[in-house]
């Protein structure tokens, strides 16, 4: 089947594609270098709708290449360039179309169609140039790799091959061409390491330093400078010299490093990284066509597998659902927030103060029980502003402005009399929080939102003794506040729409992923994680060795093991949340005597790191009292997953969130749950646990899975 026929067939499967045009215009290069054809990729929409490649888009690019190929062979042009619309080069394949594919042969056609079009750039009778003027990802990076020369804008904000992060491989030349261009070591960093580090993006200068681009120019006149450089290259005034690629042991060592990174991140649980590494390993001999064929096969196999559907599902949750929170009130009800009060000046409160300060740029005032704590909190915020200034993340003027906006006082009446939004971050004890809110209500304006950062206590109970309980809302952040995007917004029994809308409005300005949560014990993330961790702890308490229990959940590819996570959270906090949930649901949530012993002994976790690796602390081992029921890794995993599936089923029945999608969104953005799992519910469905425990899957067929 010809490329045109392949793409026509694929286009019929994807009628709603946002089509990218490939506009060809001609210009005379500076210095009499000759007539030049410039192809601009543009979907006709602004930069908020990045340019993508679906089958119709590829067909239009193919037609543009027909034109320039003819001109090149006739000698009427001296070169061809590819660039993008303002701020965007291209961000790769259109994932919406990928979701619709049901057959392996259709998936294979997508890979082959992209290759057939892109590789034409390498076989033109004249040199091809890629001008990375803006964001470039996936296929957007790969189209440039097929060109002989590349320039990059110093202002380019994001450049990556994110496919492995989504459960795919760079399938339009990335796995084959990149190592042949910059060497296997650097290619493994871009394709594997960056992808598995939460899709880390490269900036323009890094693209140049890696050797992906041959020249770098300022963003203001990037295209003009690129064309001047192109003219100099074509006239022989500039010679592009690239270091020789090491095809010896260094290549094999780079692939081995990639496998080590993949093992440490996904523990063999997701195939994409390993398929990509196989192709990179084989690319050592420089046979490009064999590499392209291997990319086609890997792409088709992965598209028809569960992980990539879960990865695309997760991507859609974070990119789309997060922007339109389910159940959020009409935004027109939100009230303006011109001043923020923070009750508490400890580490969490100070982090919150810094976040509100940077994002809202309004006065922020902290209070605490003594002047020393207040001063320490304000000093922390000032110190963080100084760090931002030192790293050139903010200008000196902005640093001065931010410092001037933050203050601390002992008297709540003085601090909060004109505040529109007051958030408490004090000790996790109901009586303490009720007292704080009573004091704030007495001095804050009648319209002020009273927000609580509680991780597990009832928002309704917290508000129950107030004159105006309708303005109390849960505003639960995750630590570290600056890093984790999730914000659980909790509606109490009497919270009104205006207060809730204001909370969502503030969350948006804070650039957080806000999810509406019912006022239920521990809300979403802590409830799921506590059930998960609690079952691990139960298995250990009953007699299974710690190492076996930890290894049991490695196939999930979680960012860290359960007991390392417990160390990060803090055993005392873990114990407190388990006690809260035990009071609410004594039949399902236990309080581990072993965990209590660890906390009472003042231990910060189960492990010591004397060798650089986590090893069970001998003092903790001496504290543990275990039974004689020893489970295998598989039995442990089955039991833990069954417990999580049961809990999520009950949470959905209780209406804690609108849908299973919200639980997945919470776990991805609040707990770093892997994209390749799609959160948790697609994995439970795929493993058959949902059906076994609850009698039905969480998600409909075709949602995070191959359509029937």
């Amino acid at each position: 089947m010809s490329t045109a026929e392949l793409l026509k067939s694929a286009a019929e499967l994807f009628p709603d594609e946002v089509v990218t045009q490939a506009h060809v215009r001609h210009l005379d290069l500076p210095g009499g270098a000759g007539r030049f054809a410039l192809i601009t990729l543009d979907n006709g929409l602004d930069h908020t709708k990045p340019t993508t490649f679906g089958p119709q888009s590829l067909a239009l690019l193919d037609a543009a290449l027909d034109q320039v190929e003819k001109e090149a062979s006739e000698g009427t042009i001296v070169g061809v360039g590819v660039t993008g619309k303002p701020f965007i080069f291209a961000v790769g394949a259109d994932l919406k179309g990928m979701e619709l594919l049901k057959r392996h042969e259709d998936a294979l056609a997508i890979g082959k169609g992209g290759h057939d079009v892109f590789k034409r750039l390498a076989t033109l009778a004249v040199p091809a140039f890629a001008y990375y003027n803006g964001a470039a990802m996936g296929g957007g990076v790969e189209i440039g790799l097929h060109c002989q020369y590349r320039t990059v804008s110093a202002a380019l904000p994001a450049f990556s091959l994110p496919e492995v992060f989504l459960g795919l491989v760079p399938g339009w030349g990335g796995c084959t061409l990149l190592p042949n261009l910059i060497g296997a070591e650097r290619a493994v960093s871009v394709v594997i390491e960056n992808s598995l580090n939460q899709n880390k993006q490269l900036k323009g200068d890094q693209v140049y330093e890696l050797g992906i681009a041959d020249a770098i120019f300022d963003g203001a006149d990037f295209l003009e400078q690129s064309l001047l450089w192109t003219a100099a290259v074509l006239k022989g005034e500039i010679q592009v010299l690239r270091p020789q690629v090491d095809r010896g042991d260094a290549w094999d060592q780079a692939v081995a490093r990639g496998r080590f990174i993949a093992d440490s991140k996904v523990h063999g649980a997701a195939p994409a990284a390993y398929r990509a590494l196989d192709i990179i390993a084989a690319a050592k001999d420089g046979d490009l066509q064999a590499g392209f064929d291997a990319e086609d096969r890997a792409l088709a196999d992965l598209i028809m597998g569960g992980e990539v559907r879960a990865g695309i599902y997760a991507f859609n949750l974070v990119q789309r659902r997060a922007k339109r929170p389910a159940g959020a009130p009409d935004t027109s009800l939100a009230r303006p927030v011109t001043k923020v009060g923070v009750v508490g000046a400890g580490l969490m409160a100070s982090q919150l103060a810094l976040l509100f300060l940077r994002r809202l740029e309004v006065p922020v005032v902290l209070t605490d029980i003594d002047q020393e704590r207040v001063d320490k909190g304000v000093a922390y915020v000032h110190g963080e502003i100084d760090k931002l200034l030192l790293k050139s993340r903010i200008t000196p003027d902005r640093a001065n402005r931010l410092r001037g906006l933050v203050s601390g006082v002992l008297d709540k009446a003085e601090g909060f009399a004109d505040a529109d939004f007051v958030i408490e971050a004090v000790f996790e004890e109901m009586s303490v929080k009720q007292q704080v809110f009573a004091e704030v209500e007495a001095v804050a304006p009648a319209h002020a939102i009273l927000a609580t950062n509680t991780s597990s206590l009832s928002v309704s109970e917290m508000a129950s003794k107030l004159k105006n309980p309708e303005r109390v809302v849960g505003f639960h952040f995750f630590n570290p506040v600056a890093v984790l995007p999730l914000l659980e917004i909790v509606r109490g029994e009497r919270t009104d729409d205006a207060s809730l809308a204001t909370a969502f409005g503030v969350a948006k300005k804070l650039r957080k992923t806000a999810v509406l949560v019912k006022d239920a014990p521990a809300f979403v993330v802590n409830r799921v994680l506590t059930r998960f961790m609690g079952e691990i702890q139960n298995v250990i308490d009953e007699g299974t060795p710690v190492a076996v229990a930890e290894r049991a959940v490695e196939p999930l590819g979680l960012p860290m093991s359960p007991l390392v996570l417990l160390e990060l959270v803090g055993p005392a906090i873990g114990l407190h949340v388990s006690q809260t949930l035990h009071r609410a649901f004594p039949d399902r949530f236990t309080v581990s005597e072993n965990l209590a012993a660890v906390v009472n002994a003042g231990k910060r976790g189960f492990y010591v790191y004397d060798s650089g690796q986590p090893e069970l602390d001998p003092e903790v081992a001496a504290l543990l009292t275990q039974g004689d029921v020893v489970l295998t890794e598989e039995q442990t995993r089955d039991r833990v997953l069954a417990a999580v599936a049961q809990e999520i089923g009950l949470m959905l029945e209780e209406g804690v969130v609108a849908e299973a999608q919200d639980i997945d969104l919470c776990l991805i953005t609040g707990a770093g749950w892997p994209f390749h799992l799609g959160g948790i519910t697609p994995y439970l469905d795929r493993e058959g646990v949902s059906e076994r425990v609850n009698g039905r899957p969480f998600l409909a067929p075709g949602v995070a899975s191959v359509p029937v």
Side-chain angles (χ1 to χ4, degrees):
M1 193 183 288
S2 70
T3 302
E5 289 170 326
L6 268 179
L7 295 173
K8 185 170 183 287
S9 172
E12 289 169 0
L13 300 172
F14 185 18
D16 298 325
E17 176 186 348
V18 177
V19 178
T20 295
Q21 304 288 329
H23 302 290
V24 181
R25 64 187 170 105
H26 296 86
L27 48 94
D28 293 319
L29 287 171
R35 193 161 170 75
F36 190 76
L38 182 66
I39 300 172
T40 303
L41 305 169
D42 191 346
N43 60 8
L45 303 169
D46 68 21
H47 68 279
T48 62
K49 300 287 190 301
T51 304
T52 54
F53 297 114
Q56 294 178 68
S57 306
L58 288 172
L60 289 169
L61 177 59
D62 198 40
L65 289 170
D66 284 341
Q67 178 186 338
V68 298
E69 185 178 65
K70 182 172 182 290
E71 293 168 351
S73 62
E74 291 171 349
T76 59
I77 56 172
V78 295
V80 174
V82 181
T83 193
K85 67 184 183 182
F87 310 110
I88 303 288
F89 182 76
V91 298
D94 193 321
L95 295 177
K96 295 194 294 296
M98 216 167 278
E99 291 175 88
L100 304 172
L101 298 175
K102 299 179 184 179
R103 301 186 309 162
H104 190 274
E105 53 264 43
D106 294 330
L108 194 64
I110 290 292
K112 193 170 184 318
H115 271 129
D116 287 351
V117 175
F118 285 3
K119 71 186 182 186
R120 295 183 66 186
L121 287 160
T123 59
L124 294 172
V126 295
F129 296 76
Y131 307 133
Y132 291 124
N133 64 301
M137 298 172 202
V141 168
E142 289 169 303
I143 188 175
L145 297 178
H146 286 269
C147 298
Q148 283 92 337
Y149 304 100
R150 286 156 294 280
T151 65
V152 67
S153 167
L156 181 146
F159 183 103
S160 66
L161 289 170
E163 286 84 353
V164 167
F165 179 65
L166 294 170
L168 289 165
V169 298
W172 285 342
C175 292
T176 303
L177 294 172
L178 192 62
N180 278 289
L181 175 67
I182 62 173
E185 176 69 18
R186 289 177 166 187
V188 163
S189 294
V190 176
V191 174
I192 305 297
E193 189 171 21
N194 289 358
S195 246
L196 292 179
N197 280 327
Q198 295 299 306
N199 191 22
K200 180 184 173 186
Q201 300 292 317
L202 298 170
K203 304 289 187 191
D205 58 344
Q206 295 170 306
V207 174
Y208 174 64
E209 286 161 15
L210 282 167
I212 298 172
D214 303 305
I216 183 168
F217 301 111
D218 285 340
D221 57 351
F222 169 71
L223 188 57
E224 290 85 347
Q225 291 299 319
S226 292
L227 291 170
L228 278 168
W229 181 84
T230 298
V233 169
L234 291 171
K235 289 164 69 179
E237 296 168 2
I238 290 177
Q239 293 242 321
V240 174
L241 301 174
R242 299 182 183 124
Q244 192 170 354
V245 170
D246 188 334
R247 298 183 185 277
D249 288 343
W251 194 293
D252 302 328
Q253 288 167 12
V255 173
R257 183 177 76 90
R259 294 194 194 283
F260 176 79
I261 292 166
D263 286 343
S264 67
K265 292 289 186 179
V266 299
H267 309 283
Y274 303 97
R275 292 296 292 268
L277 286 163
D278 288 345
I279 301 168
I280 292 171
K284 181 179 177 180
D285 64 8
D287 186 338
L288 300 186
Q289 189 53 53
F292 296 162
D293 292 342
E295 288 175 352
D296 288 343
R297 290 191 297 273
L299 200 61
D301 291 347
L302 292 167
I303 286 172
M304 298 314 292
E307 283 81 6
V308 73
R309 303 298 173 135
I312 294 171
Y313 164 82
F315 180 82
N316 288 337
L317 290 181
V318 171
Q319 294 297 318
R320 295 182 204 155
R321 191 177 184 91
K323 290 171 181 151
R324 292 184 291 277
D330 192 300
T331 54
S332 65
L333 297 172
R335 294 189 289 261
V337 171
T338 59
K339 184 178 180 181
V340 173
V342 182
V343 184
L347 181 58
M348 189 66 177
S350 301
Q351 287 184 68
L352 294 179
L354 179 68
L355 179 69
F356 278 92
L357 188 66
R358 287 189 66 198
R359 299 290 185 238
L360 271 60
E361 293 203 21
V362 299
V364 175
V365 59
L366 297 97
T367 68
D368 213 314
I369 55 174
D370 59 55
Q371 192 64 46
E372 185 183 347
R373 293 183 201 217
V374 170
D375 292 344
K376 189 177 177 183
V378 173
Y380 170 87
V381 176
H382 282 182
E384 293 301 304
I385 292 168
D386 291 342
K387 287 179 193 174
L388 292 168
L389 181 61
L390 200 62
K391 294 175 184 173
S392 300
R393 299 270 298 277
I394 55 175
T395 63
D397 282 350
R398 185 157 182 243
N400 288 333
R401 189 165 70 253
L402 292 177
R403 284 194 208 98
L405 286 171
V406 65
S407 61
V409 296
L410 280 176
D411 184 0
K412 291 185 180 69
E414 180 188 345
F416 301 156
D418 55 349
D420 306 301
F421 192 102
V422 180
I423 184 165
E424 68 76 23
V426 299
F427 186 65
E428 192 77 347
E429 178 66 50
M430 181 59 75
S431 59
V432 174
K433 290 183 185 286
Q434 286 180 330
Q435 180 186 340
V436 162
F437 271 165
E439 292 169 0
V440 173
E441 186 181 47
V443 298
H447 69 270
I449 302 299
L450 308 185
T452 170
N453 186 43
T454 183
S455 61
S456 59
L457 300 176
S458 168
V459 174
S460 301
E461 186 180 347
M462 214 176 289
S464 61
K465 298 181 179 179
L466 298 178
K467 295 179 187 132
N468 300 108
E470 68 278 357
R471 57 181 173 149
V472 176
V473 63
F475 218 61
H476 180 217
F477 290 87
F478 290 79
N479 210 359
V481 169
V483 176
L484 291 173
L486 180 63
L487 180 54
E488 291 179 337
I489 295 187
V490 187
R491 180 170 206 155
E493 288 172 10
R494 297 176 66 182
T495 307
D496 63 21
D497 282 353
S499 300
L500 202 61
T502 305
F504 273 99
V506 169
K508 187 173 183 180
K509 287 181 180 173
L510 294 176
R511 301 180 198 168
K512 291 296 180 183
T513 296
V515 176
L516 180 61
V517 180
K518 182 182 175 183
D519 187 16
F523 316 128
V524 176
V525 172
N526 284 343
R527 181 162 164 184
V528 173
L529 286 186
T530 304
R531 187 75 197 275
F532 174 79
M533 305 273 282
E535 208 56 44
I536 294 274
Q537 190 70 59
N538 288 343
V539 167
I540 293 170
D541 293 353
E542 290 166 15
T544 298
V546 168
V548 173
E550 287 269 80
R551 282 198 307 270
V553 292
E554 278 188 356
L556 275 73
L558 299 175
M560 61 190 75
S561 74
L563 294 185
V564 173
L565 174 62
L566 181 67
E567 193 171 300
L568 184 70
V569 170
I573 293 173
L575 179 65
H576 175 77
V577 176
S578 69
Q579 289 168 335
T580 301
L581 281 160
H582 175 68
R583 286 193 292 273
F585 310 113
D587 56 325
R588 300 193 309 281
F589 287 86
T590 55
V591 178
S592 167
E593 291 184 8
N594 282 325
L595 179 57
V598 169
V599 172
N600 292 335
K603 305 300 290 186
R604 295 178 61 186
F606 277 63
Y607 293 127
V608 289
Y609 296 85
D610 299 338
S611 66
Q613 295 296 317
E615 294 175 5
L616 188 61
D617 184 340
E619 293 179 14
V620 169
L623 293 171
L624 299 182
T625 303
Q626 292 183 282
D628 55 7
V629 178
V630 180
L631 300 184
T632 65
E633 289 177 25
E634 189 176 352
Q635 288 170 328
T636 300
R637 186 164 57 254
D638 286 349
R639 187 163 144 186
V640 169
L641 292 177
V644 171
Q646 182 195 32
E647 201 59 39
I648 292 172
L650 291 167
M651 290 165 72
L652 292 171
E653 282 180 21
E654 294 168 23
V656 174
V657 288
E659 293 181 290
Q661 282 88 334
D662 292 312
I663 286 176
D664 292 321
L665 181 57
C666 285
L667 286 172
I668 292 164
T669 56
W673 219 266
F675 252 60
H676 71 260
L677 295 186
I680 182 62
T681 67
Y683 179 79
L684 294 171
D685 286 354
R686 202 162 62 243
E687 294 296 307
V689 182
S690 319
E691 193 86 43
R692 175 161 53 85
V693 174
N694 299 323
R696 64 184 184 281
F698 288 112
L699 301 169
V703 178
S705 58
V706 178
V708 177

